[in-house]
Amino acid sequence: MSTPAEGFERVLSALPPARGRRFAATWWGERWLGALEDGALEPEHLRAGRRLARAGAVGAVSARPGRITAVVQDRDGTGHRCDIQLPAFDGHTWDRLVDVVSAEAGHVAALLDRDLPTALAQDAEAAGVELLPGIGELEPTCECGAWDHCPHSAALGYHWARLLDGEPFLLLLLRGRAERELVAGLQHRAAVRAAAGSTAEDVRGTPAARVYAAAVPPLPGTPPEPPAGEAGPPIRWGGGRSPGEDIDPQALEFLAVQAAGRARLAFAEALDPRHADVPPPPEPTLGQDARRLAAARPGEQILRRLAPVLRDADGASPDRASA
């Protein structure tokens, strides 16, 4: 397993002023603020930091494993470089976290959708991995010389909560893994589990040679070509061969686009953690399916072809169905 992404850095542009709004709207942003505020000794410094953060005094933020850095300007325009440090996870802790995330398809889907479910954090905590910082874990330093959270580091902390709200991967970067590295680890773990035949099997302790041998399942063989004369030529868009009198290329292309869209929707619904509790919808009737196709506004030529089915189903006209 790879080591934390030492040397990896992201620079996030400064945000506009945040007057009159909360710094965090997500539960993980609120937890970050809780660690910041519970660990500070001077409430006045927190109040001053909130004023600076609301005024847009925090510049671009550099984020890398274990540390965030920014220049914060005082009200007189003086800039102070400050840092907040959070311990990055070691390799063994990351192994446990990747196990937790990859065990649930809903966890993976939520992260890719820039969400951090409480269930994921709870499962990680049960495995001994604390994703969010605790009291005393946020270590500030600032050029102003303060030894505790000063107004500048507090402003950076409040500003960072706004950034975390929209991108929880930033929290994982602080803990030691870049997004691309984490996704690659999840894909590898999923391949190992699929090859082992069980999504619940723990591969830790398995000899490395066996894991690498099983990580990529064998590809299926190439299907044989149909015997000559038993299959027509494949459709090639833009080719010089006529598709035949009984094939409408425009209608076929429309059906392919509709099928792809419904497949993508079905796949997204299958990844939703609530999918298991929702009964499958009933199969549509021929009339219902024709009405769905007509509602997609396929054009007059295809509507004419759908018209007989719609009339036979319930007397609807193409114009009514596509309204």
Side-chain angles (χ1 to χ4, degrees):
M1 188 62 65
S2 59
T3 58
E6 297 178 1
F8 185 88
E9 179 181 9
R10 280 192 61 185
V11 178
L12 300 113
S13 301
L15 296 176
R19 295 183 178 90
R21 57 153 286 172
R22 297 167 58 191
F23 288 105
T26 60
W27 74 267
W28 60 88
E30 291 283 359
R31 283 279 295 274
W32 171 273
L33 291 180
L36 171 70
E37 294 172 346
D38 292 342
L41 300 178
E42 296 291 340
E44 179 53 40
H45 288 175
L46 291 176
R47 286 192 288 271
R50 286 194 292 269
R51 289 193 294 268
L52 289 173
R54 290 190 189 282
V58 181
V61 179
S62 166
R64 54 202 181 279
R67 183 186 297 264
I68 56 175
T69 305
V71 173
V72 180
Q73 290 192 341
D74 273 329
R75 300 182 72 176
D76 64 2
T78 305
H80 299 271
R81 171 185 163 139
C82 58
D83 300 76
I84 296 178
Q85 298 180 67
L86 176 67
F89 296 150
D90 61 22
H92 294 297
T93 303
W94 267 109
D95 282 348
R96 293 200 301 274
L97 180 58
V98 171
D99 279 341
V100 167
V101 178
S102 62
E104 295 286 345
H107 291 346
V108 178
L111 275 180
L112 294 178
D113 200 32
R114 299 307 191 256
D115 186 20
L116 183 60
T118 54
L120 191 160
Q122 291 166 355
D123 290 347
E125 185 177 350
V129 182
E130 294 283 352
L131 281 174
L132 278 299
I135 299 176
E137 274 199 295
L138 300 180
E139 291 281 345
T141 57
C142 183
E143 288 181 341
C144 74
W147 62 274
D148 184 43
H149 277 291
C150 62
H152 313 112
S153 65
L156 174 57
Y158 284 109
H159 183 91
W160 183 252
R162 291 179 63 190
L163 295 171
L164 277 183
D165 251 9
E167 195 168 350
F169 272 109
L170 292 175
L171 175 64
L172 300 174
L173 172 59
L174 264 184
R175 288 302 198 182
R177 288 281 158 88
E179 177 179 352
R180 181 179 300 178
E181 184 182 9
L182 174 58
V183 171
L186 292 173
Q187 291 172 337
H188 173 79
R189 192 64 51 87
V192 171
R193 286 181 167 174
S198 171
T199 57
E201 181 177 346
D202 191 344
V203 298
R204 286 176 293 179
T206 304
R210 176 183 164 192
V211 172
Y212 281 107
V216 180
L219 297 175
T222 304
E225 294 185 9
E230 294 189 11
I235 296 175
R236 293 185 176 90
W237 301 116
R241 190 182 183 107
S242 171
E245 295 181 357
D246 58 340
I247 295 178
D248 183 346
Q250 182 182 353
L252 188 59
E253 183 177 8
F254 170 73
L255 286 176
V257 171
Q258 292 295 309
R262 288 176 64 80
R264 183 174 60 180
L265 178 61
F267 182 70
E269 290 174 345
L271 292 179
D272 192 314
R274 299 165 296 182
H275 175 75
D277 300 325
V278 179
E283 286 291 325
T285 65
L286 184 61
Q288 290 170 336
D289 207 42
R291 190 179 297 108
R292 175 185 62 81
L293 293 173
R297 302 185 182 276
E300 184 177 349
Q301 181 177 339
I302 298 175
L303 280 175
R304 283 200 299 269
R305 297 189 62 171
L306 291 172
V309 180
L310 291 167
R311 282 194 293 268
D312 292 343
D314 56 5
S317 68
D319 291 339
R320 176 184 165 192
S322 61

